[in-house]
Structure formats: C-alpha cells, structure tokens
Amino acid sequence: MDFDYGKFKVKPGSRVNLKNFATSEDGGFDKKSARKEIENNIKQLKDLQEMFYADDRYSLLIILQARDAAGKDGVIRHVMSGINPQGCRVHSFKTPTKNELEHDYMWRHYRALPERGMIEIFNRSHYENVLATKVNPQWILNERIPGYSSVDEIDQQFWENRYAAVNAIEKHWYDNGMRILKFFLNVSKEEQKERFLARLDEPDKNWKFSSADLQARSQWNKYDEAFEEMLGKTSKPYAPWYVIPADKKFFARVAVGDIILELFKSLDLHYPPAESPEVLARAREQLMSE
C-alpha cells in the first residue's frame, strides 16, 4: 500500500511544533494488513541487506528516539527480525558510566558506529545530549566541561554549539558512506499512561517500569520543547528526522520498515564481481574430478 511518508519528515531549519504532527495514524492499515506489510518488508530487507553487506561501500545508522513506552523495542523486534545478525547490531545507551564521562559526549557513540556493510540501530543515541540534558541541565556538570561550573552558565549558545557539532559529525559520517535515518516515535500522553498502567497490571511486564519514567513524564512539556528544538535544528537532507505516529504500534512498525526499505532501494547496490567464467569453470572441473 502506498503512503506518503514525506509528511512525517522534518524540513531542515523548520520551526517544529509537535502539535502539528499526529500521534495516531493507521495509514489505511489494520492489524492484519499491517502484519502482511511487515512480513513483506522483512523478506525484501533480508535480500537487500545481504547485497548491502556484500557491496561493502555503505553503512546504515538507524536512530530511534522517543519518550518512554513509545515502542522502540517493538519496532526493532518486528522490523529487523529477518535481518542476518551478522550484518546488524543494536546498541542501547544508558546513563553514561564514570569511564564514559572521562571522554567527550560523542566518544561512546563513535565506538558503536557501523562499519561498511553493517546496520547499527541506536536505541536512544547521542541526541540524549541535547534532550535529557537540556531538560535536566544539572547533568551537564557531570561532564566537567571547562567554563561550565554551574547551571547558570549553560546558556542557549551552549546548545546551539551542540546542535552544530552533531550536524557536522553526521555530515562527516555521510560523506564517508554512512547513511543515516532518524526516527522520533511520537506517542501521546494518554497512550503512554495506558502503556504504563499495562506494565504495572501485568506481572510479566513489571520489569519494564521504572519510577524514573514518572519523573520524565512530569517533565512532559519541557521535553516537548527539547524535542521540537532538536528536530528543527538537526533534521538535514543527509540525516533526516521522521516524526512517526506511535499510538498505533502496528502502523509505527510499518512506517519505519517502509522508510528503511525505500532507502535501501535508492542505493546502487550490487554484488561484487565474481572471478572470470574461465576460472569458475576450472574450479568446477577440479572439484568434480576429486
């Protein structure tokens, strides 16, 4: 089914208002038809990923950012289930460790980047450094950056510098063969509440809930502002942001899969050339004579 995902793409330099982006969308799918679409995407991605791996010129970085319970894990599990594990990795970034804080904030992310032929999925990413830390600027002080010894010194120029640095780094990655897709799963406050309650009501899901989730929920409006500024400042032609409606999990999974598939199809992928027919014929003859 054709669907215009372009309306989810954030225009570079635009002033973003999340109220203008849907949280609920089905795209003409229901759960049954979405399941068929996802299965079809998995088959195509499996074939293209093998060629992507063999081609060995590009790498792919997929970034998933969202509020808690927006469905990042489910997207990874459903969309990438057919991918050969040899060619795909998932990296989840938690609170920086003491060792990680001894380096600049990009260090731990740089170490997890995909090499050529590989797909890397960042479940949360370097964007936490302009999201969680922007809402909680006191966390910046843990980085011990010269010139910033108090929260009062962390001004708007500080964040502008970070946006510029992230953009420059991603442009460098792109220029060296990395393709970058960034997805913000846009879940409503009401749907998040229902998912939190489900985690509390079902014993098998209790482990997914953290009291820290409620702290972030209490900062909903501040996170809105941080997301909006981040999306507008860092969506670029070489590394676009897509704001994906996430209240209906089945549609979010279809949308992400379709967009990834579209990127793969846009690349001039091919298998590396084989040895000459003469060499292959001699190899066959040698094997048959054993």
Side-chain angles (χ1 to χ4, degrees):
M1 183 182 297
D2 292 329
F3 186 88
D4 179 18
Y5 294 109
K7 64 182 180 180
F8 299 151
K9 185 185 289 189
V10 178
K11 294 180 181 179
S14 62
R15 191 174 183 85
V16 175
N17 184 338
L18 283 176
K19 291 183 174 62
N20 295 331
F21 289 89
T23 59
S24 184
E25 170 69 65
D26 61 26
F29 294 94
D30 55 24
K31 289 185 178 180
K32 184 177 180 180
S33 60
R35 190 179 305 113
K36 290 182 179 179
E37 179 78 0
I38 292 169
E39 289 173 355
N40 181 57
N41 284 348
I42 288 171
K43 292 177 182 177
Q44 292 187 69
L45 282 172
K46 181 179 180 181
D47 292 339
L48 287 168
Q49 185 262 336
E50 181 179 338
M51 191 180 298
F52 181 81
Y53 181 82
D55 186 279
D56 201 30
R57 291 180 298 148
Y58 299 101
S59 60
L60 175 60
L61 176 62
I62 299 170
I63 293 173
L64 295 175
Q65 287 288 156
R67 302 179 193 274
D68 298 307
K72 299 188 304 300
D73 292 341
V75 164
I76 295 169
R77 186 169 61 252
H78 286 81
V79 174
M80 309 304 288
S81 61
I83 296 295
N84 186 338
Q86 186 178 0
C88 182
R89 294 186 299 254
V90 179
H91 201 108
S92 297
F93 292 97
K94 307 297 184 183
T95 302
T97 65
K98 182 178 179 181
N99 182 48
E100 288 168 344
L101 287 170
E102 293 296 330
H103 302 79
D104 70 273
Y105 66 88
M106 285 297 298
W107 178 77
R108 63 176 183 156
H109 305 289
Y110 232 109
R111 298 176 72 217
L113 290 177
E115 56 266 37
R116 299 186 194 281
M118 292 292 295
I119 301 170
E120 189 80 37
I121 302 171
F122 281 4
N123 186 345
R124 300 191 190 275
S125 68
H126 46 286
Y127 282 97
E128 290 298 310
N129 297 283
V130 291
L131 291 171
T133 54
K134 196 167 194 298
V135 175
N136 303 278
Q138 68 275 13
W139 294 348
I140 291 291
L141 304 182
N142 294 331
E143 299 178 32
R144 303 190 307 286
I145 303 171
Y148 297 95
S149 57
S150 73
V151 171
D152 294 337
E153 294 171 309
I154 304 171
D155 56 7
Q156 182 58 28
Q157 188 58 52
F158 175 88
W159 302 111
E160 295 292 342
N161 291 345
R162 287 212 161 179
Y163 298 135
V166 168
N167 289 334
I169 289 170
E170 289 183 352
K171 182 61 164 60
H172 171 71
W173 294 342
Y174 179 88
D175 289 343
N176 284 274
M178 186 182 298
R179 295 299 173 258
I180 306 166
L181 289 175
K182 303 183 292 196
F183 299 100
F184 172 64
L185 303 186
N186 192 24
V187 69
S188 67
K189 195 171 186 179
E190 295 74 18
E191 179 64 20
Q192 188 196 59
K193 177 181 177 179
E194 293 303 313
R195 294 181 187 181
F196 279 169
L197 288 172
R199 291 179 177 184
L200 293 171
D201 292 341
E202 300 179 37
D204 290 347
K205 292 185 177 181
N206 286 172
W207 67 273
K208 290 186 174 183
F209 183 80
S210 167
S211 56
D213 297 341
L214 292 183
Q215 171 62 21
R217 183 175 169 83
S218 72
Q219 299 171 311
W220 188 278
N221 291 337
K222 290 184 177 180
Y223 268 103
D224 257 1
E225 294 173 1
F227 283 129
E228 289 170 348
E229 186 167 273
M230 176 273 291
L231 291 167
K233 299 280 188 180
T234 63
S235 188
K236 300 295 180 183
Y238 53 84
W241 274 107
Y242 290 85
V243 179
I244 305 295
D247 281 4
K248 296 183 186 297
K249 293 180 180 180
F250 66 83
F251 177 75
R253 294 163 184 171
V254 166
V256 172
D258 281 350
I259 293 169
I260 294 172
L261 191 58
E262 182 180 11
L263 174 67
F264 270 118
K265 290 179 177 179
S266 73
L267 302 176
D268 179 28
L269 298 177
H270 51 76
Y271 289 107
E275 295 189 68
S276 69
E278 293 78 15
V279 171
L280 297 180
R282 286 197 298 270
R284 172 180 289 277
E285 183 179 346
Q286 179 178 337
L287 288 169
M288 295 298 292
S289 66
E290 289 182 356

